[in-house]
Amino acid sequence: MKLKFTKMHGAGNDFVVIDGINQDIDFSAAQWQLLGDRRFGVGADQILLVEKPTEPGCDFRYRIFNADGGEVEQCGNGSRAFVKFVAEKGLTTQRSITVQTKAGVIAPRLEADGSITVDMGAPVLEPQRVPFDADGLHGERQGDDTLWPLVLELGGARESVLISVVSMGNPHAVQIVDDVDAAPVELTGPLIEHHARFPNRVNAGFMQIVGRHHVKLRVFERGVGETLACGTGSCAAVVAGIRRGLLDSPVQVDARGGQLSISWAGVGQPVWLTGPAVTVFEGEIEI
Ligand SMILES: N[C@@H](CCC[C@H](N)C(=O)O)C(=O)O
C-alpha cells in the first residue's frame, strides 16, 4: 500500500505520525521497524498511530511503536506531536483532547502560544508495578524515595549504580550523575535496558542536578537507544528528584534536543509536561 505519513519531532525526539482513521493500517513488527529505519525507511525514534478510540469518553486512541518495531505503553513527546497532528489534519476542532493509550488516558492541550501541555497521569512508584524485581535487594532511603542498587557486568568488572524506579505508564530507571555530558550512556544504557530485574526492559535516565528547578537529562530509550529528548523520561526523572528531596516543582529539563518543563504536586497527582512539537514534512511511502 501507499502510506501517507507526517514527520514530526518534539525537542528532537522524532516521529513518523500516521492517520489510521482514514487509512487502513494493520502492520507487522517488521513494517513498523522499516518505517523507523533511517536508512531503508523513513527514520524515527517512534512511530505514532492515530486511531478511533475503543474506550467511551476518549477522543482518540494513540498507539506507539519504538524503532525496533515493538509496541509500547506511553510516549510523552509523542503526545504533543499527536495533538498538533490531529489539529493540523482537521481530525478535531478541539484544542484539548482526551487520548486512550495502552497505559491509560492522557490529556494534551494546545496552548495559544503553540506550546503543548499534557496531563500525563500520576506516576506509579511501587517497584512491582513498574515492573522492577526488588526481591532480595536492600534499597537505600533518600527523602521519600528508595534507591536500588543495580549491578552491571562491564566486561568482567562489576559496577553498581543506584537507581530510582518510576513508571509513567512505561518503565524508567533514573540515576543521578555529576556531569551528564561525561555519563557513560552508550556503555551502561543497554545494560540497564536489558537488566534481568526489569522483566519488560526499561528506559535508562541519567540526570544532572543544576539547581532545585533545573536539571540536565539524557535518556537511553528502550527499543531505540539514546534519543535527543524523552518526555516520559523527563517526568520520571523529575518525580525521582522531587521524591529524593533534591528538586522542587516546576523543573526545567534540558535535553540534548531542547527544553521541557515538568510540574508535579506529589504522590497521587498527575505529572504535567510542557514543550514543543514541530511538523517537519509530509510524505508517502510504499509499504
Ligand atoms: N520518547 C518517548 C518514550 C517512548 C517509549 C519508550 N522508548 C519506551 O519503550 O517506553 C517519550 O517522549 O516519552
Side-chain angles (χ1 to χ4, degrees), residues 41-104:
V42 184
D45 297 324
Q46 276 87 33
I47 302 102
L48 313 179
L49 179 60
V50 178
E51 288 186 341
K52 287 190 180 144
T54 57
E55 273 179 24
C58 289
D59 298 307
F60 294 99
R61 179 178 182 202
Y62 164 37
R63 294 177 66 194
I64 304 140
F65 299 84
N66 277 333
D68 70 357
E71 184 167 6
V72 290
E73 309 88 342
Q74 198 54 278
C75 176
N77 289 328
S79 66
R80 300 195 312 277
F82 189 100
V83 67
K84 188 173 164 93
F85 178 88
V86 295
E88 285 181 352
K89 292 288 173 201
L91 297 172
T92 184
T93 51
Q94 296 167 219
R95 295 186 78 80
S96 271
I97 55 172
T98 50
V99 179
Q100 170 191 352
T101 72
K102 250 175 108 85

Side-chain angles (χ1 to χ4, degrees), residues 10-11 77 80 109 111 114-118 259-261 273-277:
N77 289 328
R80 300 195 312 277
R109 185 176 71 223
E111 308 290 355
S115 69
I116 295 149
T117 299
V118 190
Q259 259 178 20
L260 302 174
S261 172
L273 161 68
T274 302

Side-chain angles (χ1 to χ4, degrees), residues 13 46 66 72 74-77 170 203 221-222 224 230-232:
N13 180 189
Q46 276 87 33
N66 277 333
V72 290
Q74 198 54 278
C75 176
N77 289 328
N170 59 346
N203 299 285
E221 283 196 31
R222 175 178 65 167
V224 187
C230 178
T232 49

Side-chain angles (χ1 to χ4, degrees), residues 199-219:
N200 296 346
R201 294 157 50 209
V202 74
N203 299 285
F206 299 77
M207 170 165 69
Q208 177 185 338
I209 308 280
V210 180
R212 291 199 67 85
H213 294 278
H214 187 192
V215 300
K216 290 184 181 180
L217 181 72
R218 290 170 67 188
V219 179

